[in-house]
Structure formats: C-alpha cells, structure tokens
Amino acid sequence: MKRFHAHVHVDDLAQSIAFYSKLFAAAPARVEADYAKWMLEDPRVNFAISTRGAKPGLDHFGMQTDDAQELAELKARAEAADMALLDEGNTTCCYARSEKHWVTDPQGIAWEHFHTLGDIPVFNEAAPSSAAGACCAPSAAAPAPAASRAACCGPATTATLKTSCC
C-alpha cells in the first residue's frame, strides 16, 4: 500500500514540531537536529519537515511505496505523464536509504516516488553540496551546479533541477 508524502521547509524546527504534533495528535516518528517525520496511519501520510533548503514552505510531494513492484508502477505512470524524469536509483537522503525517482508537474512542483530500504544515521551519505547538503528534487527553479548535484544525486537528466530533499 502506498503512502502519501509531503515535505515542508521550516524556519523553527522546535516550534513546528510542537505545532504539527498537536495538529496530528502524534509525536514525530523520527527527530534529528534539522529534521522531523511523522508516519501517520489515518490517513496514511509520511509528513516531513526540515530546516534544509532555500526558503520555508512546500518543498515537494511524493508517494512512498512498500515494495519495488509498486515503485515500478509509479515510475511507469510518471513516464506516461510525458514529463522529464530524474531516476536517482539507490540513493541516501532524509536519514534513509531509498530507491527513488522524481518528476515535476506542469506547475513546477516536484513529486518524489520512493521505496525506503532502511534508516541511516545521517541526512545523506553524499559529500556536502553548496546548498546546505541537501539532495536533488526536480523543480522549475534554476539548475544546481553540476558538481554539487553530482556529489548528491549523480548526473542530471533534465535542465530543471534544484538542490532540495525529502
């Protein structure tokens, strides 16, 4: 079963954790110095916040799958949408090792499709990039420098990449 995912950049992590914990009537499933995540069951949502990224607000939406078959189905749907697809394959980001790809909607909102393979103790295992050590999410924003993208995400496959992450 798939789980809806949303990631929001926040200015004050502690204040936002307090707000969302009350809003969801649940404590985060994971808290780090720069990140928090709720794995809600009703509705099934993976909701994450972080102090990483350019400015506060919506970073991206996504769908988290329970297995590789569901991820392959989402990839086929994304390819059928006739939008540029960034296939990161096996990667690390947001304190997790995942298989993932990205697609950007016509409004420039990045959509991440991923299958989490396990937790890791750091935000990502890539070398720090020039954008606060974040991962890549396609968007309508200006492309990130190739060197900083490659350290985190590998080669770019579209001209519409920015540095960001789940």
Side-chain angles (χ1 to χ4, degrees):
M1 176 184 293
K2 294 170 221 42
R3 181 185 300 265
F4 187 76
H5 170 65
H7 185 131
V8 175
H9 291 293
V10 299
D11 279 330
D12 186 319
L13 191 67
Q15 181 182 40
S16 294
I17 287 172
F19 171 80
Y20 286 113
S21 292
K22 291 174 186 165
L23 184 68
F24 299 145
R30 180 152 192 176
V31 176
E32 299 293 340
D34 57 353
Y35 177 84
K37 174 177 69 176
W38 288 258
M39 297 292 283
L40 305 172
E41 292 302 323
D42 185 18
R44 269 180 67 83
V45 175
N46 169 341
F47 183 82
I49 61 175
S50 73
T51 56
R52 294 172 176 263
K55 63 180 183 174
L58 174 68
D59 182 65
H60 65 272
F61 289 122
M63 295 296 291
Q64 180 179 11
T65 68
D66 287 338
D67 58 49
Q69 183 177 352
E70 286 179 337
L71 185 61
E73 178 186 327
L74 290 178
K75 185 175 184 180
R77 290 183 195 175
E79 290 170 337
D82 290 329
M83 301 300 287
L85 183 113
L86 171 64
D87 189 348
E88 286 191 84
N90 192 324
T91 189
T92 59
C93 192
C94 300
Y95 299 95
R97 184 173 316 285
S98 300
E99 180 79 20
K100 74 169 73 175
H101 61 269
W102 298 87
V103 66
T104 304
D105 80 1
Q107 290 69 238
I109 298 172
W111 280 83
E112 173 188 30
H113 294 159
F114 63 102
H115 175 219
T116 301
L117 305 171
D119 289 341
I120 59 172
V122 294
F123 191 83
N124 67 36
E125 294 177 334
S129 76
S130 60
C135 296
C136 293
S139 83
S148 69
R149 259 194 349 267
C152 173
C153 306
T157 58
T158 76
T160 58
L161 299 178
K162 71 173 186 171
T163 53
S164 181
C165 191
C166 42

